[in-house]
Amino acid sequence: MANISKKVSWSGRGDDRGERTPLLNGAEDGKYNRHVLNFVFQSLDYDNSENQLFLEEERRMSHMGFRCLETRRWVICGLIGFLTGLIACLIDIAVEKLAGYKYSAVKQNIEKFTEFGGLSISLILWAVLNSAFVMVGAIAVAFFEPFAAGSGIPQIKCYLNGVKIPRVVRLKTLAIKVFGVICSVAGGLAVGKEGPMIHSGAVVAAGVSQGRSTSLKKDFKIFEYFRRDTEKRDFVSAGAAAGVSAAFGAPVGGVLFSLEEGASFWNQMLTWRIFFASMISTFTLNFFLSIYHGKPGELSSPGLINFGRFDSDSVQYNLYEIPLFIIMGALGGVLGALFNVINYWLTIFRIRYIHRPCLQVMEAMLVAAVTATVSFAMIYFSNDCQPLGQDNTEEYSLQLFCADGEYNSMATAFFNTPERSVRSLFHNPPGSYNPLTLGVFTLAYFVLAVWTYGLTVSAGVFIPSLLIGAAWGRLFGILLSTITSSQSIWADPGKYALIGAAAQLGGIVRMTLSLTVILVEATGSVTYGFPIMLVLMTAKIVGDYFIEGLYDVHIKLQSVPFLHWEAPPTSHWLTAREVMSSPVTCFNRVEKVGRIVDVLSNTSTNHNGFPVVAHTTENDEPGKICGLILRSQLIVLLKHKVFVERASSRLSHRKLQLKDFRDAYPRFPPIQSIHVSQDERECMMDLTEFMNPTPYTVPQETSLPRVFKLFRALGLRHLVVVDNENRVVGLVTRKDLARYHLGKDGLEELHLAQT
Amino acid sequence: MANISKKVSWSGRGDDRGERTPLLNGAEDGKYNRHVLNFVFQSLDYDNSENQLFLEEERRMSHMGFRCLETRRWVICGLIGFLTGLIACLIDIAVEKLAGYKYSAVKQNIEKFTEFGGLSISLILWAVLNSAFVMVGAIAVAFFEPFAAGSGIPQIKCYLNGVKIPRVVRLKTLAIKVFGVICSVAGGLAVGKEGPMIHSGAVVAAGVSQGRSTSLKKDFKIFEYFRRDTEKRDFVSAGAAAGVSAAFGAPVGGVLFSLEEGASFWNQMLTWRIFFASMISTFTLNFFLSIYHGKPGELSSPGLINFGRFDSDSVQYNLYEIPLFIIMGALGGVLGALFNVINYWLTIFRIRYIHRPCLQVMEAMLVAAVTATVSFAMIYFSNDCQPLGQDNTEEYSLQLFCADGEYNSMATAFFNTPERSVRSLFHNPPGSYNPLTLGVFTLAYFVLAVWTYGLTVSAGVFIPSLLIGAAWGRLFGILLSTITSSQSIWADPGKYALIGAAAQLGGIVRMTLSLTVILVEATGSVTYGFPIMLVLMTAKIVGDYFIEGLYDVHIKLQSVPFLHWEAPPTSHWLTAREVMSSPVTCFNRVEKVGRIVDVLSNTSTNHNGFPVVAHTTENDEPGKICGLILRSQLIVLLKHKVFVERASSRLSHRKLQLKDFRDAYPRFPPIQSIHVSQDERECMMDLTEFMNPTPYTVPQETSLPRVFKLFRALGLRHLVVVDNENRVVGLVTRKDLARYHLGKDGLEELHLAQT
């Protein structure tokens, strides 16, 4: 938390800190949540605290030492990739097995009852099976680790942006996440298993790079050098990239995802390591899946979702199709925005009324049952029979009321894992689906997917988006070839399915470069790069007109102080003086323990960074800056009782080392847990050795965009504002910058609130 | 230039500014050049000077205004892509035509003389034709624009790194470059036309984004807002990316190239625009080439080099092949290092003895003639006859002494543009080449390529590298299948040719992520991503053990102050105090014109940035910082005679505007061209309105890595070092940071020299 005691509000709204609004709850009007920044989120310290201890350690290190560190980083990245790939493999196999059992059971049941009637029993069986799976998953999430809910991408976005989201990179979260996603996909919900992979990769990275697990209370005593936010965040980027890579078989896309979401500063070696982790991840998955499928060494499944091979004939597109693609992009943007708006209101409804875990589990079970029912009804009432192909790619082809040698085409879309349905829509030959089936399917699946996203289950939105898009895209293609009534190049509906899928996904998540590359890598062919880029761009422009992307909607709903790439364009009016928090609580170089304890214990401010000044007087004259010290550092100092009085009796007390700080990282004890006696309160503490002696500073006249750029480029947590005498006059933190955003009527300022 | 007047040298070498060594010339020992930084290179101002004029303009601008700017940026990027694509198309068609004429003529001649003997006449014809083409190209380069020599990639790397290389982004350079590359490729040199595309794209970008050409003295009065280094560099990144994209059909690779070389700060919107330019570029090329080839709309040539389609059967690789790939990578690293070492010594030789333009032209002609002779000899003495395939893909297949229906396979490698040869090596069926042919070809082409790179012609090194690698890679594959004597998966030599090409190219240029993506995109299949990455990584590690990459070698030979990604690892010992230049020449807020003119005219210092202080006294007490002003700004002020005395008679003199600075950008007149009378020398100038009031500052104790990070992340040109009273004590510039590098014995310091 920033040193926000009094806020000089440029917009004249005055002091807004008095309001204490419960997070996401009890807001009088629904819109309110969008104008709040939550007070509790803390930032990562991406900037190294270069204090004396740190410099001594760095200076002691030889050239070989740095080489070893670098090698260790590579090893860690390799491990991250390997473990992420293994997890992806586990999820894939578990889902395949469980879904296989379920569909076989239901299929047998349906076949049994088709002739005699009594299909309602099949429906009930299906619904019960679905609900059971989902119930197990939802209970795990709702009761044991609510942070494992959803895809985890918004959380990882925030983490990479520099916001410390509590519990997000814990081992327990990973376990629940993996278990939950298996249950929800096997439970037939309109979800994918790809999004959670990104979160899983990030957790793996955070765990491996620290060489210990605080959840398991196990310290391997390795990689201790990396126990700080700077290094950890770099590894988490690699983990997220490995996750994307395993999910989509898209190593380059993974790197770009990490960069798009996280990088404040591009470093070639780091990027190359991230790429290494991504490559290892997709390779591991590919390798183990090839063994599982009984064809070891035949590396044909680089990702969890495989778009299948687009043959060279169908891959071509013509110049005159480009306007059509743009139209599809716009359509995707509109549908995506619609998705996001509905989901936004639904989420607000959920926050307000469905916040008890058991209610959440029940809602998830309800959705599972409804999904089964809708699917069943659609299959039942559709009479779209198609002849069974020679290759018989449909694993669970349902004959139902079709003639022998035919199957129900609606069932291929519903009676299947969504990944397979997507692939069918891309590759089944023209004529496999009739337009009505596709239309009804799009509508039904759209509703189900909107309802499902945000449930208290672990699940992703990529695959449902792709599926919706592929369905209406294919429909679009079929209609086109009907209108032109020629069997020309138009007639390949698979191509339009791909473009539709891209448009819909782009309209919902609004990722740009990384998504283009992910989709191109997933199709395995670079030929579609240009149309996919055009479609994603159009979808983003059109969609942004209505509402932000789905992840951003959810980030805003969480009131996270998210920093965008640049300051809002019209913010040159503001200077550091207006933006900063002041007055700032400062410490002297040699400070009384009592004062430190009092300041740290003050729950109403809960500051995290304190400028150290040469001399503070009790009157309002500010002191000259000579350093910056963090709450976490002070806590460690207090815990080890590094007081000046004790230092004189040197023999009794060893010198504090960087290791003591690393051991306490990342869960520094709260101040309340540290006992300081009345005698000790009178002692003094010398902060010189531990503070960062060269914090970044800016003068008061610096414009907001300039402050923003410095803050963002260096991943700062605190930026000290000084006057021309170098005296501390204010402190800029993440929340001070994230408050400003561009609204409909120009620059707007968000309120700060605390849960 | 920095304010370097006295250098406190930590290594105790003392003042090294006295030495005045001519650039790259006359050095007593050859190694000397590697330990020098050239004094004349200036930096780009990537940091905006946020002075009052700028802030006023920004504040006047409405939200709509910013939208318009953003739209204009997109339009410019589209234009950059389009024009770059057109240029690529022009080069491609011109080379095809010219080379076609040449090879037809020589082929006819050879066929005529094969029966009767007298082939020496054919040889002479070939050599003369080659030399003639190369002569024209070399004359254009050597006499009209020496900066158009080579691939231009080192120059663009430097530009994106933030070094202002003179004349590098001029229209004239582009014209000579394009003309030169057509001549050298048509002249049969061992060069490619891909590298120069990157330079061409960059020039196009610099031209288009400024809305005027200073060479043509034509100002279109558009895009005036973008006339500053910050914006221009962003567009140049887009141009370079568009160039890569057109050269290799690799839009994502292009973006990554720009980022790897240039980005100090990743900005999503910027990246997305760069990607747009890249996409448009490859699309334009593709579209126009498809028209040229008579199949409009069939978009099958996304780049100048096309690796051809790797079919799904040959694309597969097996796990046990991976160690082989790694061995090939190591081999590529060694061969690449050998290439670079030889080329390094050759370049030093050239710098010392071949610096007169006519000598340069003669050397180029000699190389062209030798290339023809070697090629002819190899074709003549090889008796490797192969049957003509059904498809007859060899356009200029030479029968020579082969039986009817057969052709000389050595001729496919030599009697062809290098792009076609690469493709043949990748895709010709097993058995097309015999091992001896390949071995001799590798050796001969290696020598020719080493000799050719660095000639005073416009040419790239990508294709020769690929060709050498493809040749020994294919040889490797053939030997493998001979050893194992089974027609298993090993037997596909095309795969090994691809891996060899990647290894060789990686060993020479040492690019990492971007090169992987470029090669993957050029093959059009993502399957080879993992092996290519492994190979490039191995090649880089092995090669770096011996010598840097080819571009870095040439950058070092030019003594460019190039900033790497991070400070050398063992540099925590150094602080800003040791690194900075001091004392600094400062100006007062209101300064006497005479003093300004004197300081600017002092050729021995040639400073470019001057801290503005509240009050300088003549004694050694430094003043408090209150701003920073650039030489270019002072020049404009002097030119417009913005003196305090004149300001009082307001009517006579309009207020200076940002436009006046933009009009003078980028070629600010030298101080000598501005006449200041003796009276005017006594006037005062108020700098307050024009200086940057909030320059970045650091305290003296800041460690070098911290200074480096700030400098690099924000793309600074000057960083003011202050004491704890905010008084100016030093200035850190690019050269102060680039001086330190990691040598064999730890940290080393480079000398500064001036041409």
Side-chain angles (χ1 to χ4, degrees):
Chain A
M1 269 312 347
N3 280 8
I4 297 173
S5 306
K6 201 191 107 202
K7 175 76 58 183
V8 182
S9 177
W10 69 280
S11 62
R13 285 196 206 142
D15 190 345
D16 45 32
R17 270 197 55 257
E19 304 178 35
R20 283 181 160 237
T21 329
L23 168 64
L24 302 178
N25 207 341
E28 267 64 41
D29 71 328
K31 283 240 164 192
Y32 185 70
N33 290 300
R34 299 185 59 181
H35 294 281
V36 157
L37 280 189
N38 193 340
F39 221 53
V40 297
F41 287 109
Q42 317 225 331
S43 292
L44 295 173
D45 285 309
Y46 197 61
D47 183 39
N48 267 335
S49 174
E50 291 207 339
N51 55 23
Q52 284 184 28
L53 296 181
F54 177 81
L55 285 176
E56 275 165 26
E57 191 189 77
E58 293 287 310
R59 285 169 189 169
R60 261 200 310 278
M61 213 181 290
S62 67
H63 186 201
M64 264 326 281
F66 282 102
R67 282 261 166 111
C68 282
L69 271 185
E70 194 62 20
T71 314
R72 246 173 273 167
R73 289 199 186 100
W74 280 92
V75 171
I76 292 174
C77 282
L79 273 176
I80 291 170
F82 181 72
L83 291 176
T84 308
L86 272 192
I87 288 173
C89 194
L90 169 73
I91 292 178
D92 195 57
I93 294 174
V95 166
E96 285 286 312
K97 286 277 177 212
L98 287 178
Y101 291 138
K102 188 187 78 177
Y103 287 122
S104 313
V106 176
K107 187 182 168 184
Q108 275 176 10
N109 192 284
I110 290 178
E111 275 165 2
K112 204 169 92 189
F113 286 106
T114 307
E115 290 176 47
F116 313 104
L119 273 173
S120 51
I121 295 172
S122 309
L123 166 61
I124 290 167
L125 173 70
W126 192 357
V128 166
L129 278 175
N130 269 10
S131 299
F133 276 121
V134 170
M135 185 184 70
V136 176
I139 286 175
V141 172
F143 287 94
F144 296 100
E145 188 57 83
F147 278 91
S151 72
I153 295 181
Q155 283 90 328
I156 296 304
K157 268 185 86 150
C158 291
Y159 186 92
L160 293 179
N161 191 262
V163 184
K164 204 180 273 173
I165 308 275
R167 313 182 61 80
V168 82
V169 288
R170 294 215 182 161
L171 191 61
K172 189 175 156 197
T173 312
L174 173 64
I176 301 285
K177 185 122 224 163
V178 170
F179 180 74
V181 76
I182 293 172
C183 291
S184 31
V185 178
L189 288 178
V191 297
K193 55 193 187 297
E194 281 68 19
M197 272 316 300
I198 297 163
H199 191 168
S200 306
V203 181
V204 167
V208 170
S209 67
Q210 302 298 298
R212 69 172 166 197
S213 158
T214 26
S215 305
L216 298 182
K217 300 205 173 40
K218 177 101 188 122
D219 190 339
F220 294 96
K221 304 272 181 203
I222 46 171
F223 307 144
E224 290 179 334
Y225 184 85
F226 304 125
R227 293 182 187 170
R228 50 188 156 121
D229 282 348
T230 320
E231 299 278 351
K232 195 170 169 182
R233 199 183 102 176
D234 285 350
F235 286 116
V236 170
S237 317
V244 174
S245 171
F248 300 97
V252 179
V255 174
L256 290 176
F257 173 84
S258 269
L259 291 172
E260 209 169 279
E261 301 307 343
S264 42
F265 178 66
W266 166 288
N267 179 316
Q268 194 178 13
M269 282 316 286
L270 172 63
T271 316
W272 188 226
R273 275 202 303 275
I274 295 178
F275 188 49
F276 180 68
S278 296
M279 272 290 183
I280 295 285
S281 158
T282 174
F283 184 76
T284 307
L285 174 67
N286 211 337
F287 179 67
F288 283 102
L289 279 189
S290 77
I291 291 179
Y292 171 72
H293 291 137
K295 301 170 199 157
E298 196 180 275
L299 305 173
S300 55
S301 327
L304 290 182
I305 169 88
N306 191 339
F307 285 1
R309 193 163 183 79
F310 279 83
D311 283 332
S312 43
D313 299 334
S314 70
V315 150
Q316 293 203 358
Y317 61 94
N318 263 298
L319 209 59
Y320 52 80
E321 287 180 276
I322 285 178
L324 292 174
F325 295 156
I326 290 176
I327 292 171
M328 291 179 76
L331 192 57
V334 172
L335 287 178
L338 183 66
F339 188 102
N340 295 0
V341 169
I342 300 177
N343 194 267
Y344 169 73
W345 289 109
L346 192 63
T347 308
I348 293 204
F349 177 84
R350 280 194 182 125
I351 287 166
R352 223 179 280 177
Y353 301 109
I354 316 181
H355 44 262
R356 296 233 313 276
C358 49
L359 279 178
Q360 291 171 336
V361 172
M362 281 165 65
E363 194 202 1
M365 288 171 65
L366 176 68
V367 174
V370 169
T371 306
T373 313
V374 169
S375 312
F376 191 87
M378 307 253 305
I379 295 173
Y380 188 84
F381 291 113
S382 99
N383 43 11
D384 179 13
C385 292
Q386 299 288 345
L388 270 171
Q390 301 304 321
D391 47 352
N392 205 353
T393 47
E394 314 305 327
E395 209 162 317
Y396 314 112
S397 52
L398 271 185
Q399 187 181 346
L400 215 62
F401 306 117
C402 293
D404 285 343
E406 292 195 329
Y407 69 98
N408 185 307
S409 82
M410 186 62 106
T412 54
F414 267 122
F415 202 67
N416 228 330
T417 56
E419 282 85 359
R420 283 174 191 275
S421 311
V422 172
R423 213 152 59 224
S424 312
L425 286 168
F426 285 168
H427 294 296
N428 279 5
S432 304
Y433 301 88
N434 83 38
L436 189 65
T437 312
L438 286 175
V440 175
F441 174 79
T442 304
L443 194 69
Y445 211 79
F446 187 91
V447 173
L448 287 174
V450 173
W451 193 8
T452 308
Y453 190 79
L455 280 183
T456 315
V457 295
S458 160
V461 75
F462 270 80
I463 299 300
S465 310
L466 286 174
L467 192 48
I468 297 166
W472 65 253
R474 199 174 171 108
L475 179 62
F476 191 91
I478 294 174
L479 294 182
L480 267 186
S481 62
T482 320
I483 292 167
T484 58
S485 67
S486 71
Q487 289 296 311
S488 69
I489 193 161
W490 308 77
D492 179 42
K495 178 170 58 183
Y496 288 95
L498 176 64
I499 296 293
Q504 183 67 50
L505 184 55
I508 291 176
V509 303
R510 311 279 165 77
M511 282 150 62
T512 52
L513 180 60
S514 57
L515 192 56
T516 313
V517 176
I518 288 172
L519 291 177
V520 167
E521 287 188 292
T523 54
S525 155
V526 295
T527 324
Y528 271 126
F530 187 67
I532 288 178
M533 185 199 70
L534 273 185
V535 159
L536 287 178
M537 200 183 275
T538 320
K540 183 173 164 63
I541 292 169
V542 172
D544 279 348
Y545 181 79
F546 300 105
I547 189 173
E548 316 89 315
L550 187 61
Y551 299 136
D552 295 309
V553 166
H554 280 258
I555 287 172
K556 270 209 175 170
L557 281 171
Q558 304 276 336
S559 311
V560 176
F562 194 86
L563 286 189
H564 291 276
W565 294 102
E566 281 175 337
T570 54
S571 60
H572 271 102
W573 286 104
L574 291 167
T575 65
R577 188 184 288 116
E578 283 113 21
V579 169
M580 70 191 186
S581 316
S582 73
V584 188
T585 314
C586 296
F587 288 128
N588 283 314
R589 237 176 217 284
V590 180
E591 182 63 85
K592 234 174 97 179
V593 172
R595 174 145 188 264
I596 294 179
V597 173
D598 288 346
V599 168
L600 293 188
S601 311
N602 184 348
T603 49
S604 77
T605 54
N606 197 22
H607 299 166
N608 266 305
F610 304 92
V612 179
V613 293
H615 180 70
T616 40
T617 45
E618 289 307 308
N619 56 36
D620 56 355
E621 175 85 339
K624 276 202 166 60
I625 177 124
C626 59
L628 183 81
I629 196 152
L630 299 173
R631 166 182 288 262
S632 58
Q633 293 174 319
L634 290 171
I635 296 259
V636 175
L637 293 182
L638 286 173
K639 199 173 133 203
H640 288 84
K641 307 216 181 291
V642 188
F643 305 145
V644 176
E645 283 71 12
R646 301 203 172 214
S648 53
S649 57
R650 274 205 180 265
L651 288 175
S652 70
H653 216 76
R654 74 181 177 84
K655 195 165 168 294
L656 208 61
Q657 287 181 319
L658 218 47
K659 189 179 176 310
D660 299 301
F661 292 93
R662 284 184 186 144
D663 285 345
Y665 177 84
R667 302 191 201 164
F668 297 100
I671 180 72
Q672 289 75 16
S673 72
I674 291 169
H675 180 70
V676 178
S677 71
Q678 204 59 36
D679 274 3
E680 287 171 338
R681 284 183 65 89
E682 296 302 316
C683 291
M684 301 299 277
M685 248 163 78
D686 186 356
L687 306 179
T688 315
E689 213 177 338
F690 309 104
M691 71 186 187
N692 177 2
T694 53
Y696 295 107
T697 60
V698 285
Q700 301 175 74
E701 299 79 31
T702 317
S703 69
L704 175 59
R706 205 170 165 81
V707 171
F708 198 99
K709 198 180 161 199
L710 180 66
F711 203 90
R712 188 75 170 84
L714 298 175
L716 298 183
R717 185 172 181 186
H718 305 98
L719 180 59
V720 183
V721 182
V722 295
D723 64 8
N724 60 1
E725 298 285 332
N726 245 345
R727 286 181 301 220
V728 178
V729 293
L731 197 61
V732 174
T733 61
R734 168 176 290 269
K735 270 150 226 131
D736 298 316
L737 298 177
R739 277 188 306 151
Y740 300 97
H741 80 132
L742 202 62
K744 302 251 155 171
D745 321 310
L747 208 59
E748 287 177 4
E749 194 185 347
L750 300 179
H751 290 259
L752 287 173
Q754 192 165 8
T755 47
Chain B
M1 267 315 345
N3 280 8
I4 298 173
S5 308
K6 200 191 104 203
K7 176 75 59 181
V8 182
S9 176
W10 69 279
S11 63
R13 286 196 207 142
D15 191 345
D16 46 32
R17 269 196 58 257
E19 306 176 33
R20 282 181 160 238
T21 328
L23 168 65
L24 300 178
N25 208 339
E28 266 65 43
D29 72 328
K31 284 241 163 191
Y32 184 69
N33 291 300
R34 299 188 56 181
H35 295 282
V36 158
L37 279 190
N38 192 340
F39 221 53
V40 297
F41 287 110
Q42 317 227 329
S43 293
L44 295 173
D45 285 308
Y46 197 62
D47 184 40
N48 265 336
S49 175
E50 291 208 337
N51 56 23
Q52 283 184 29
L53 296 181
F54 176 80
L55 286 175
E56 274 166 26
E57 191 189 79
E58 292 288 311
R59 285 169 190 171
R60 262 200 310 276
M61 214 181 291
S62 67
H63 186 200
M64 262 328 278
F66 282 102
R67 282 261 166 113
C68 282
L69 272 185
E70 193 62 20
T71 314
R72 245 173 273 168
R73 287 200 187 98
W74 280 94
V75 171
I76 291 174
C77 282
L79 273 175
I80 291 169
F82 180 72
L83 291 176
T84 308
L86 272 192
I87 289 172
C89 195
L90 168 73
I91 293 178
D92 195 58
I93 294 174
V95 166
E96 285 286 312
K97 285 277 177 210
L98 288 178
Y101 290 137
K102 188 186 78 174
Y103 287 122
S104 312
V106 176
K107 188 182 169 186
Q108 275 175 10
N109 193 285
I110 290 178
E111 275 164 1
K112 202 169 93 190
F113 285 105
T114 307
E115 291 174 46
F116 313 101
L119 274 173
S120 51
I121 295 172
S122 307
L123 165 61
I124 290 168
L125 173 71
W126 191 358
V128 166
L129 277 176
N130 269 10
S131 298
F133 276 121
V134 170
M135 186 185 70
V136 176
I139 286 175
V141 172
F143 288 94
F144 295 101
E145 188 56 82
F147 279 91
S151 73
I153 295 182
Q155 284 89 330
I156 297 303
K157 269 185 86 150
C158 291
Y159 186 92
L160 293 179
N161 191 262
V163 184
K164 204 181 273 173
I165 309 275
R167 312 182 61 80
V168 81
V169 288
R170 296 213 181 162
L171 190 61
K172 187 177 158 197
T173 312
L174 173 65
I176 302 285
K177 185 123 223 162
V178 170
F179 180 74
V181 77
I182 293 171
C183 290
S184 30
V185 178
L189 289 178
V191 297
K193 55 193 187 297
E194 281 68 19
M197 271 317 299
I198 297 163
H199 191 168
S200 306
V203 181
V204 166
V208 170
S209 67
Q210 302 298 299
R212 69 172 166 195
S213 159
T214 27
S215 306
L216 297 182
K217 299 204 173 43
K218 176 105 189 116
D219 191 339
F220 294 95
K221 305 269 180 205
I222 46 171
F223 308 144
E224 290 179 334
Y225 184 85
F226 303 126
R227 292 180 189 172
R228 49 188 157 120
D229 282 349
T230 321
E231 299 279 351
K232 193 170 170 183
R233 199 183 102 175
D234 286 349
F235 286 116
V236 170
S237 317
V244 175
S245 172
F248 300 97
V252 179
V255 174
L256 290 176
F257 173 84
S258 270
L259 291 172
E260 209 168 278
E261 300 307 341
S264 42
F265 178 66
W266 166 287
N267 180 315
Q268 194 178 14
M269 282 314 287
L270 172 62
T271 316
W272 188 224
R273 275 201 304 273
I274 294 178
F275 188 49
F276 180 68
S278 295
M279 275 288 183
I280 294 285
S281 157
T282 175
F283 184 77
T284 307
L285 174 67
N286 213 335
F287 178 67
F288 283 102
L289 279 189
S290 76
I291 291 178
Y292 171 72
H293 291 138
K295 302 168 196 156
E298 196 180 275
L299 305 173
S300 54
S301 328
L304 290 182
I305 168 87
N306 192 336
F307 283 2
R309 191 165 184 79
F310 279 85
D311 281 333
S312 43
D313 299 334
S314 71
V315 150
Q316 291 203 359
Y317 61 94
N318 263 297
L319 209 58
Y320 52 81
E321 287 179 277
I322 285 178
L324 292 174
F325 294 157
I326 290 176
I327 292 171
M328 291 179 76
L331 192 57
V334 172
L335 287 178
L338 183 66
F339 188 103
N340 295 0
V341 169
I342 301 176
N343 194 265
Y344 170 72
W345 290 109
L346 192 64
T347 308
I348 293 204
F349 176 85
R350 280 193 182 124
I351 287 166
R352 224 178 279 176
Y353 301 108
I354 315 179
H355 46 260
R356 296 234 313 275
C358 47
L359 278 178
Q360 291 173 335
V361 172
M362 280 165 65
E363 193 201 3
M365 286 171 66
L366 176 67
V367 175
V370 169
T371 306
T373 313
V374 170
S375 312
F376 191 86
M378 307 252 305
I379 295 173
Y380 188 83
F381 291 113
S382 98
N383 42 12
D384 179 13
C385 293
Q386 300 287 345
L388 271 172
Q390 301 305 321
D391 46 352
N392 204 352
T393 46
E394 313 307 326
E395 209 161 319
Y396 315 112
S397 53
L398 272 184
Q399 187 181 347
L400 215 61
F401 306 116
C402 293
D404 285 345
E406 292 194 330
Y407 68 97
N408 185 308
S409 82
M410 186 62 107
T412 54
F414 267 123
F415 203 67
N416 227 329
T417 56
E419 283 84 359
R420 282 173 191 273
S421 310
V422 171
R423 213 152 59 224
S424 310
L425 285 168
F426 285 168
H427 295 295
N428 278 6
S432 303
Y433 299 88
N434 82 41
L436 189 65
T437 312
L438 286 173
V440 175
F441 175 79
T442 304
L443 194 69
Y445 211 80
F446 187 90
V447 173
L448 286 175
V450 173
W451 192 9
T452 308
Y453 190 79
L455 281 183
T456 316
V457 295
S458 160
V461 76
F462 268 81
I463 298 299
S465 311
L466 287 174
L467 191 49
I468 297 166
W472 65 253
R474 197 170 172 112
L475 179 62
F476 191 92
I478 292 174
L479 295 182
L480 266 184
S481 62
T482 319
I483 292 166
T484 57
S485 68
S486 72
Q487 290 296 311
S488 68
I489 193 162
W490 308 76
D492 178 42
K495 178 168 59 182
Y496 288 96
L498 176 65
I499 296 294
Q504 184 67 51
L505 184 54
I508 291 175
V509 303
R510 311 279 165 76
M511 282 151 61
T512 51
L513 181 60
S514 57
L515 192 55
T516 313
V517 176
I518 287 172
L519 290 177
V520 167
E521 287 188 293
T523 55
S525 155
V526 295
T527 324
Y528 271 126
F530 187 68
I532 288 179
M533 186 198 69
L534 273 185
V535 159
L536 288 178
M537 201 182 276
T538 320
K540 183 172 164 63
I541 292 170
V542 172
D544 279 347
Y545 181 79
F546 301 104
I547 190 173
E548 316 89 313
L550 187 62
Y551 300 137
D552 296 309
V553 166
H554 280 258
I555 287 172
K556 270 208 174 169
L557 282 171
Q558 303 278 334
S559 312
V560 175
F562 193 85
L563 286 190
H564 291 276
W565 294 102
E566 283 174 336
T570 54
S571 60
H572 271 102
W573 285 104
L574 290 167
T575 64
R577 189 185 287 117
E578 283 112 21
V579 169
M580 70 189 186
S581 317
S582 74
V584 188
T585 313
C586 297
F587 287 128
N588 283 314
R589 237 177 216 284
V590 180
E591 184 62 84
K592 234 173 100 179
V593 172
R595 176 149 186 264
I596 295 179
V597 172
D598 288 345
V599 169
L600 293 187
S601 310
N602 184 348
T603 48
S604 77
T605 53
N606 196 22
H607 299 166
N608 266 305
F610 303 91
V612 178
V613 293
H615 180 70
T616 40
T617 45
E618 289 307 307
N619 56 37
D620 55 354
E621 175 85 341
K624 275 203 166 61
I625 177 120
C626 60
L628 183 82
I629 196 151
L630 301 173
R631 168 181 286 263
S632 58
Q633 293 173 320
L634 289 172
I635 296 261
V636 175
L637 293 182
L638 286 174
K639 198 173 133 203
H640 288 86
K641 307 214 182 291
V642 187
F643 305 146
V644 177
E645 283 71 13
R646 301 201 172 216
S648 53
S649 58
R650 273 203 181 268
L651 288 175
S652 70
H653 216 76
R654 73 182 178 84
K655 197 166 167 292
L656 208 61
Q657 285 181 324
L658 218 47
K659 189 176 177 312
D660 298 300
F661 292 92
R662 283 183 188 147
D663 284 346
Y665 177 85
R667 302 190 203 165
F668 298 100
I671 180 72
Q672 288 76 15
S673 73
I674 292 169
H675 179 72
V676 179
S677 71
Q678 203 59 38
D679 273 4
E680 286 171 339
R681 282 182 65 89
E682 296 302 315
C683 292
M684 302 299 277
M685 246 163 78
D686 186 356
L687 307 178
T688 315
E689 211 177 340
F690 309 103
M691 70 186 186
N692 177 2
T694 54
Y696 295 108
T697 61
V698 286
Q700 301 174 76
E701 299 80 30
T702 316
S703 69
L704 174 60
R706 204 169 166 82
V707 172
F708 199 98
K709 197 180 163 199
L710 179 67
F711 204 89
R712 189 76 170 82
L714 298 177
L716 297 185
R717 186 173 180 186
H718 305 98
L719 179 59
V720 183
V721 182
V722 295
D723 65 7
N724 59 3
E725 297 285 332
N726 244 345
R727 288 180 299 219
V728 179
V729 292
L731 196 61
V732 174
T733 61
R734 166 177 290 269
K735 271 150 226 132
D736 299 316
L737 297 176
R739 276 189 305 150
Y740 299 97
H741 80 132
L742 203 62
K744 300 251 157 175
D745 322 309
L747 207 58
E748 287 176 5
E749 194 184 348
L750 301 179
H751 290 258
L752 287 174
Q754 193 164 9
T755 48

